[in-house]
Amino acid sequence: MGLTSKTFLATAIVLAVVFFVATVWLWPRLARRSVSAVFGRVGLLLVTQLTVFVSVGLVANNSFLFYGSWADLFGQKQDLGVVTDHAAGTLASKNIVRVGIQRPDVPGGSRPTMGGRIDKVVIAGRKSKIESSAYVYLPPEYFQAAFARRKFPAVVVLTGYPGISENLLKGLHYPRTAHERVKAGRAQPMILVMLRPTVAPPRDTECVDIKGGPKTETFFAEDLPRAVSDTYRVGKLARNWGIMGNSTGGYCALKIGFHHPDRFSASAGLSAYYKAAEDPTTGDLFHGDQGARDRSDLMWSLDNLPQPDSSFLVTTSKRGEGNYRSTRQFIAKVKPPAQVSSIVLDSGGHNFNTWRREIPSALDWMSSRLSEN
């Protein structure tokens, strides 16, 4: 059974209840001072606590999708192999291979003209040499005859670390939310390219081009937009592209948007931080290069580099988020021609529930900054 399986969760809950009842029932019989009775009491307590702990953990994981599978829980690499198809005119010639198709969780999702389509793809970075799996959400308008000649704006959507791209579909509901915002007349149809920033798992590269290591920034800023534009009906100009994410993905989005205004005209960071983390999960990102370290610090960049003609959106909460003060500092440092907007909740933690409250407005904001042409 899968880690997020409802059957597995139900089984764990039933076992917890059974062992709790058994403990209550058998405790009087194990009240003696014999060795066997003591071991019996200890065993019942341990098993009962373990099953309750597992049940609570599974409920929390199913709610927030911290881990999507057993392999993800135990840190096993899950990258897909890349199928190279040498036939002319295939997706492989454009550095994207489609490995599956999913129906969006929206009304009419079985028909692309009504609900759109989600392509599961592998993107091979021509310049960075990085390969990463992703989900590409195509809105229903993409398949409608009235829009057959139209190009669509695209948004790169990033998870946090060590999240998996499935979180963006199952936990944060990006395709469903985008579909609802269009139906409500609040946003234009957009293509969403959803993936995690961890392109060299299990290492957290903080979207940095690491000397002698993964060129993550190059992958997101250059390879990914080029591959998607060559494959789908997406423009190649900055005004056609946005990038957003939560937590680590939010930091990556803001940093890439700041340093690559020729690629992305709008960037949104949900619960973002503003300086590259350096810890055991990242390893040595900069190899003593202080210039590279400074460049990865958005506060330093705002103070010392020309500000781009780009739009930024940042989100935080007055209570529950650790980035409230730094987000206010970021807002204060943004100067023309750059523009900044914010979502500030009264309260909200660093979790899926908070981000689900911010995503609808963030997609509306992103839509208003992007153009199809």
Side-chain angles (χ1 to χ4, degrees):
M1 290 182 284
L3 180 62
T4 59
S5 165
K6 293 182 179 179
T7 302
F8 183 52
L9 174 61
T11 301
I13 293 174
V14 169
L15 286 176
V17 172
V18 168
F19 280 111
F20 176 79
V21 172
T23 300
V24 174
W25 178 258
L26 294 174
W27 198 261
R29 303 184 183 185
L30 297 173
R32 301 185 304 275
R33 295 185 178 182
S34 65
V35 173
S36 60
V38 171
F39 276 106
R41 294 196 297 269
V42 170
L44 281 174
L45 288 174
L46 286 177
V47 173
T48 301
Q49 290 182 9
L50 177 62
T51 53
V52 170
F53 176 79
V54 169
S55 299
V56 172
L58 287 173
V59 170
N61 187 65
N62 285 11
S63 297
F64 296 104
L65 284 177
F66 298 117
Y67 301 98
S69 66
W70 292 108
D72 185 42
L73 175 64
F74 293 111
Q76 298 172 356
K77 191 172 180 179
Q78 300 184 74
D79 285 322
L80 297 171
V82 176
V83 177
T84 302
D85 190 338
H86 297 281
T90 65
L91 294 180
S93 65
K94 300 174 182 178
N95 292 87
I96 287 184
V97 176
R98 186 170 59 230
V99 296
I101 294 175
Q102 293 187 16
R103 298 175 179 177
D105 181 22
V106 299
S110 60
R111 298 172 57 191
T113 55
M114 295 292 292
R117 191 180 78 197
I118 299 174
D119 289 352
K120 188 171 186 178
V121 302
V122 175
I123 301 173
R126 185 174 302 173
K127 190 172 181 179
S128 65
K129 308 303 180 186
I130 287 174
E131 298 171 354
S132 179
S133 60
Y135 290 95
V136 179
Y137 165 68
L138 303 171
E141 291 80 3
Y142 191 88
F143 303 96
Q144 296 171 5
F147 297 87
R149 297 183 179 277
R150 175 176 169 177
K151 289 187 176 181
F152 292 80
V155 183
V156 177
V157 185
L158 302 174
T159 68
Y161 175 84
I164 57 175
S165 51
E166 285 82 357
N167 288 349
L168 300 170
L169 281 69
K170 299 177 181 179
L172 295 177
H173 311 304
Y174 268 96
R176 183 201 305 172
T177 305
H179 183 272
E180 291 172 349
R181 303 313 284 177
V182 173
K183 292 298 182 184
R186 303 299 299 271
Q188 63 176 315
M190 298 182 293
I191 292 174
L192 306 181
V193 185
M194 300 167 284
L195 67 167
R196 60 180 183 171
T198 315
V199 294
R203 188 178 188 182
D204 175 13
T205 62
E206 295 289 296
C207 296
V208 169
D209 278 357
I210 302 173
K211 183 178 180 180
K215 297 187 180 298
T216 313
E217 184 173 343
T218 296
F219 174 79
F220 285 113
E222 299 184 41
D223 289 337
L224 187 151
R226 182 183 298 113
V228 172
S229 294
D230 287 346
T231 304
Y232 298 97
R233 299 200 310 274
V234 178
K236 297 184 179 181
L237 302 178
R239 64 175 179 265
N240 310 132
W241 281 87
I243 183 169
M244 65 188 295
N246 59 272
S247 192
T248 299
Y251 162 72
C252 287
L254 295 174
K255 183 183 72 171
I256 291 172
F258 183 94
H259 291 299
H260 300 273
D262 57 327
R263 305 283 180 174
F264 300 95
S265 63
S267 312
L270 312 185
S271 302
Y273 49 89
Y274 303 97
K275 182 180 180 180
E278 295 183 72
D279 55 36
T281 68
T282 68
D284 189 352
L285 295 175
F286 305 109
H287 297 278
D289 186 342
Q290 188 59 42
R293 179 177 284 106
D294 288 340
R295 183 179 178 276
S296 74
D297 184 339
L298 284 168
M299 302 299 189
W300 183 94
S301 296
L302 286 168
D303 287 338
N304 294 278
L305 299 177
Q307 299 208 12
D309 185 9
S310 301
S311 297
F312 300 96
L313 172 68
V314 290
T315 79
T316 187
S317 302
K318 294 179 182 178
R319 296 187 303 276
E321 279 279 20
N323 75 333
Y324 178 72
R325 180 176 296 181
S326 58
T327 296
R328 302 303 301 179
Q329 292 173 348
F330 179 89
I331 293 170
K333 288 177 180 290
V334 175
K335 299 292 186 291
Q339 302 177 42
V340 64
S341 304
S342 65
I343 298 173
V344 181
L345 302 177
D346 287 334
S347 64
H350 198 80
N351 55 51
F352 278 29
N353 183 58
T354 296
W355 300 326
R356 283 193 291 261
R357 295 162 61 195
E358 298 167 342
I359 288 170
S361 295
L363 287 174
D364 295 349
W365 176 90
M366 186 69 70
S367 171
S368 69
R369 266 69 180 176
L370 301 183
S371 169
E372 64 188 68
N373 299 317

